[in-house]
Amino acid sequence: MPKAYVFTRNGGPEVEALIEQDVPVPGPGELLVAVRAAGVNPVDWKLRTGYIRPGSESQPFPTVLGSEAAGVVEAIGPDVEGFAIGDEVFGNPVTGGYAEYTLLPVAVTAHKPAGLSFTDAAVLPVAAATAYDGVRQLGLAPGSTLLITGAGGGVGTAAVQLARHAGVQVIGAASAAKKDFVESLGAVHVASGPGLADRVRAAAPDGVDAVFDLVGGDTLRAVAPLLADPAALISAGGKPLAVELGGAAVERARTAAVLDEVADLVVTGALRTHVNRAFPLSGAGDALRAVENGHTLGKIVIEVVA
């Protein structure tokens, strides 16, 4: 039977397990996909601890981990158009990506370009698409200055590149250990931690035009006063706090069209995925620990053998 990496109840890493499960059956508007790669994101371990996405319901246990995946279409559910068995696709699974088989809803599934690997495609639906949505939401003019907190993580790495591609000047807040990496993306690095606001002021004496926050908490509180207009603050790391401070949450489009656009940016070289490390499905726990510990550069991926 095919394998999947799950959590059996809400809790810490001790509730995770690699199990065997039946191949899921695609319903209306769904594709059965043989997974070739799955991205690993902070939301994965947060869901394991009991977090429920707004507008969603808790899933029955065991719950397969993973919010983005790429693979090959094995079967097609009713009312599906534009896809065929054998198509290479990527998107947001409804039955978890850390598995040999998953279901992808066509509304958030795109065809993988031939020039894009499964590994690179698997990290686009969450991190890169969130970055794309956020940069588009801000709508900054070329020459504007954007502060991105958490600039060395999965979303931050993509956000820096997309903003720079749009002609925006970027100040990237990240740990001192990520300085060289953040600067290689085209941003001016400032060290995160106490005193961050003062370091941003020194790096941008004319001020910043917007803030794209990916950290939340004390970091978000520290940088919010840097803006003359609080509405120029968006956050994917501390959404309720951003609203409290006069800003907004990142508005996610979650469409196949956005996935197509992000994939095109990778193929043309405007965006690099910066996959830092790949793990086999049997090492999914180690992959999730790497992200949960919060010190990774770029993206972590689980690769599934065909």
Side-chain angles (χ1 to χ4, degrees):
M1 292 180 67
K3 295 180 173 59
Y5 196 72
V6 306
F7 59 96
T8 56
R9 62 185 188 280
N10 292 135
E14 72 281 354
V15 305
E16 299 171 10
L18 183 66
I19 68 169
E20 294 183 340
Q21 64 170 15
D22 293 332
V23 176
V25 177
E30 294 179 340
L31 304 170
L32 172 65
V33 172
V35 178
R36 295 291 178 264
V40 182
N41 296 280
V43 71
D44 299 341
W45 65 260
K46 292 176 182 178
L47 290 168
R48 184 204 66 213
T49 64
Y51 168 74
I52 299 176
R53 290 186 177 96
S56 300
E57 298 179 356
S58 58
Q59 298 183 15
F61 300 125
T63 301
V64 182
L65 289 147
S67 304
E68 54 185 358
V72 180
V73 176
E74 293 277 324
I76 298 173
D79 305 322
V80 171
E81 297 180 354
F83 292 90
I85 293 173
D87 283 355
E88 297 179 346
V89 297
F90 67 105
N92 299 106
V94 293
T95 52
Y98 299 10
E100 293 180 335
Y101 292 92
T102 192
L103 299 178
L104 292 181
V106 294
V108 284
T109 299
H111 289 90
K112 182 183 75 65
L116 188 65
S117 70
F118 285 116
T119 297
D120 286 335
V123 303
L124 300 181
V126 173
T130 298
Y132 180 92
D133 289 340
V135 170
R136 184 173 60 177
Q137 180 179 345
L138 288 170
L140 295 172
S144 302
T145 300
L146 170 64
L147 169 64
I148 299 175
T149 63
V155 180
T157 297
V160 170
Q161 295 177 81
L162 293 172
R164 295 293 296 127
H165 181 64
V168 174
Q169 303 300 314
V170 178
I171 297 175
S175 67
K178 297 182 179 181
K179 179 178 185 296
D180 291 344
F181 177 66
V182 170
E183 290 180 344
S184 75
L185 302 174
V188 175
H189 173 266
V190 292
S192 54
L196 172 60
D198 290 337
R199 290 189 289 276
V200 173
R201 292 187 184 96
D206 295 330
V208 297
D209 299 297
V211 172
F212 191 166
D213 168 66
L214 302 168
V215 178
D218 291 340
T219 295
L220 176 51
R221 291 187 184 278
V223 300
L226 294 169
L227 292 170
D229 180 6
L233 164 67
I234 62 171
S235 178
K239 298 176 184 179
L241 178 56
V243 173
E244 177 186 322
L245 294 171
V250 173
E251 298 173 358
R252 294 300 317 282
R254 293 189 172 89
T255 64
V258 166
L259 298 184
D260 284 332
E261 292 175 31
V262 172
D264 286 343
L265 288 167
V266 178
V267 171
T268 59
L271 175 65
R272 293 179 59 194
T273 59
H274 289 280
V275 173
N276 179 55
R277 192 175 177 188
F279 293 78
L281 182 58
S282 60
D286 293 331
L288 191 53
R289 294 297 80 68
V291 171
E292 192 168 2
N293 290 338
H295 301 295
T296 58
L297 286 172
K299 290 287 295 185
I300 299 290
V301 176
I302 295 168
E303 295 180 335
V304 182
V305 177

